[in-house]
C-alpha cells in the first residue's frame, strides 16, 4: 500500500484529525487533504498486479461434531459456523472463525505482509 493512501485512510477513521495525522507523519495538512480527495476519487488505488498474488491453498474435510455417543454429545459441542486456518510457515498461524471482524482481519494480514 502506498504511503499516501495509508496516510489518507488514517484520516477517515472515526474521530481522526487531518492536522494531527499530517503532523504525526511529517507532512503538510493541505497535502493530506489532497491525498484524501484523491483516495475518495479512487486515484490512489494500487494496480491489481501489485495487490494480488497466488498462494497455495489446502482444503481439508470438515470435522465431525458428533461421535459414538450420538446427539447428546453433539448438543454439548455445537459446530462452528465455519473457520479458516491461515498458516505462514515460520511466521504465524491464524484461525478466523465465522463472525470475525473483517477490518481487524485485514489489519492483521497486512501487518504480516511487511
Amino acid at each position: 500500500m502506498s504511503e499516501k493512501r495509508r496516510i489518507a485512510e488514517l484520516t477517515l477513521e472515526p474521530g481522526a484529525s487531518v492536522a494531527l495525522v499530517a503532523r504525526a507523519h511529517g507532512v503538510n495538512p493541505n497535502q493530506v487533504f489532497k491525498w484524501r480527495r484523491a483516495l475518495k476519487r479512487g486515484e490512489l488505488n494500487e494496480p491489481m498486479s501489485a495487490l494480488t498474488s497466488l498462494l497455495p491453498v489446502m482444503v481439508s474435510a470438515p470435522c465431525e461434531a458428533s461421535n459414538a455417543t450420538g446427539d447428546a454429545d453433539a448438543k454439548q459441542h455445537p459446530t462452528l459456523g465455519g473457520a479458516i486456518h491461515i498458516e505462514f510457515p515460520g511466521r504465524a498461524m491464524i484461525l478466523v472463525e465465522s463472525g470475525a471482524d473483517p477490518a481487524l482481519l485485514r489489519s492483521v494480514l497486512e501487518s504480516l505482509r511487511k
Side-chain angles (χ1 to χ4, degrees):
M1 177 183 306
S2 76
E3 187 72 6
K4 292 177 187 179
R5 180 182 175 90
R6 190 178 67 76
I7 292 171
E9 286 178 343
L10 289 173
T11 68
L12 300 176
E13 293 179 4
S17 161
V18 172
L20 292 176
V21 170
R23 187 178 314 138
H25 292 87
V27 294
N28 186 296
N30 291 330
Q31 184 65 58
V32 176
F33 275 113
K34 182 178 177 181
W35 294 341
R36 188 171 145 153
R37 285 190 300 274
L39 176 66
K40 288 181 179 181
R41 290 190 304 261
E43 296 171 3
L44 293 182
N45 293 336
E46 295 180 19
M48 286 305 288
S49 61
L51 295 175
T52 58
S53 61
L54 298 178
L55 298 173
V57 174
M58 182 177 63
V59 178
S60 61
C63 299
E64 293 295 324
S66 61
N67 58 20
T69 60
D71 291 334
D73 191 53
K75 290 178 185 175
Q76 292 175 355
H77 303 288
T79 60
L80 296 174
I84 300 172
H85 296 257
I86 304 169
E87 183 176 355
F88 294 92
R91 294 189 67 193
M93 181 178 286
I94 302 168
L95 169 62
V96 183
E97 295 184 7
S98 65
D101 178 33
L104 177 60
L105 176 59
R106 180 183 181 129
S107 177
V108 168
L109 293 175
E110 284 180 351
S111 72
L112 291 170
R113 286 178 65 188
K114 298 177 182 177

